[in-house]
Amino acid sequence: GAVVSQHPSWVICKSGTSVKIECRSLDFQATTMFWYRQFPKQSLMLMATSNEGSKATYEQGVEKDKFLINHASLTLSTLTVTSAHPEDSSFYICSARARQGYDYGYTFGSGTRLTVV
Amino acid sequence: DAKTTQPPSMDCAEGRAANLPCNHSTISGNEYVYWYRQIHSQGPQYIIHGLKNNETNEMASLIITEDRKSSTLILPHATLRDTAVYYCIVRHYAGGTSYGKLTFGQGTILTVHP
């Protein structure tokens, strides 16, 4: 089955620094990847949709200059949290869409726990 | 995409069937019903999806009403490892302008008791 690898699984960084999170589709090509953020006891909130070779589409209220998304290949998308602050501490999850027959399946990574101190 | 309504929490005894309802009364003809679950501190896991026919796989069964305004996810023999948040999501077919994104609601916290 489709597997999505997300790395790192957890990271601690100092306030003001940048952190990069990688999302890889291991056994399929993902033309579209999605990035979510989840705060404690809340549901997943979609941040952006990234299509290979084009600029990401950000959801309303998400700062595109703070959350940089790159989807340079069909198997890799990265999310960089720039100038991180404690309020950016959250669980970040990526998802990749793969074609299955006439429809698409969605596979999620295991998530990255970001703590900004 | 159509909005879904789920009970915030449910309990189930281990070994019994867990029936999780979902209301999607504004669903349109080309929208699929997806079910995912999320175990604490992990990414969501796909369970099942369907359009209008009932579906079954190794994990669960999905029963969709004839008018498609509601559905029920059935875990036939719940185990302690099925304790998780279950999300019912409705989305357009892949060709929709929303790029087929999945929008999560609050889900149902299912707790399976020994």
Side-chain angles (χ1 to χ4, degrees):
Chain A
V3 178
V4 171
S5 174
Q6 191 171 338
H7 180 81
S9 56
W10 61 271
V11 58
I12 301 173
C13 72
K14 291 184 177 180
S15 185
T17 62
S18 296
V19 174
K20 179 183 286 188
I21 301 170
E22 292 188 348
C23 180
R24 293 181 183 271
S25 56
L26 297 186
D27 50 2
F28 66 99
Q29 293 183 331
T31 54
T32 305
M33 289 188 176
F34 306 88
W35 287 95
Y36 293 83
R37 179 168 55 181
Q38 186 176 33
F39 293 108
K41 298 189 183 302
Q42 295 186 21
S43 185
L44 286 77
M45 183 186 75
L46 180 66
M47 299 174 67
T49 301
S50 78
N51 292 293
E52 186 265 339
S54 62
K55 291 183 178 180
T57 301
Y58 291 81
E59 296 297 306
Q60 190 173 8
V62 178
E63 300 176 57
K64 62 180 181 180
D65 294 329
K66 181 170 184 61
F67 299 99
L68 302 179
I69 293 172
N70 184 284
H71 193 166
S73 79
L74 286 172
T75 59
L76 174 64
S77 176
T78 60
L79 168 67
T80 301
V81 183
T82 63
S83 186
H85 290 284
E87 57 266 30
D88 298 323
S89 298
S90 187
F91 191 52
Y92 292 86
I93 307 167
C94 70
S95 173
R97 189 174 79 159
R99 191 169 186 89
Q100 297 172 347
Y102 292 100
D103 195 9
Y104 288 87
Y106 299 78
T107 303
F108 287 80
S110 55
T112 297
R113 176 78 56 192
L114 170 63
T115 302
V116 185
V117 298
Chain B
D1 291 334
K3 183 178 178 179
T4 62
T5 303
Q6 298 177 252
S9 64
M10 294 183 66
D11 289 339
C12 178
E14 188 177 20
R16 304 296 293 269
N19 298 280
L20 290 88
C22 179
N23 182 287
H24 32 79
S25 58
T26 60
I27 193 171
S28 62
N30 61 352
E31 290 182 313
Y32 283 75
V33 179
Y34 277 76
W35 283 85
Y36 281 79
R37 72 181 182 184
Q38 185 180 27
I39 297 171
H40 183 61
S41 295
Q42 297 183 23
Q45 176 191 23
Y46 168 82
I47 301 174
I48 200 166
H49 78 285
L51 182 61
K52 55 183 178 181
N53 297 321
N54 298 337
E55 302 287 345
T56 296
N57 63 21
E58 64 278 4
M59 288 184 68
S61 294
L62 173 61
I63 308 298
I64 303 175
T65 58
E66 191 169 344
D67 62 7
R68 302 207 326 121
K69 293 185 177 181
S70 66
S71 61
T72 301
L73 177 75
I74 301 173
L75 307 179
H77 305 287
T79 70
L80 299 179
R81 287 176 293 181
D82 292 323
T83 292
V85 181
Y86 287 77
Y87 296 100
C88 169
I89 303 167
V90 173
R91 73 150 186 91
H92 281 99
Y93 181 66
T97 56
S98 63
Y99 299 101
K101 61 185 178 182
L102 295 180
T103 302
F104 287 77
Q106 294 305 307
T108 295
I109 301 172
L110 174 67
T111 303
V112 181
H113 297 285

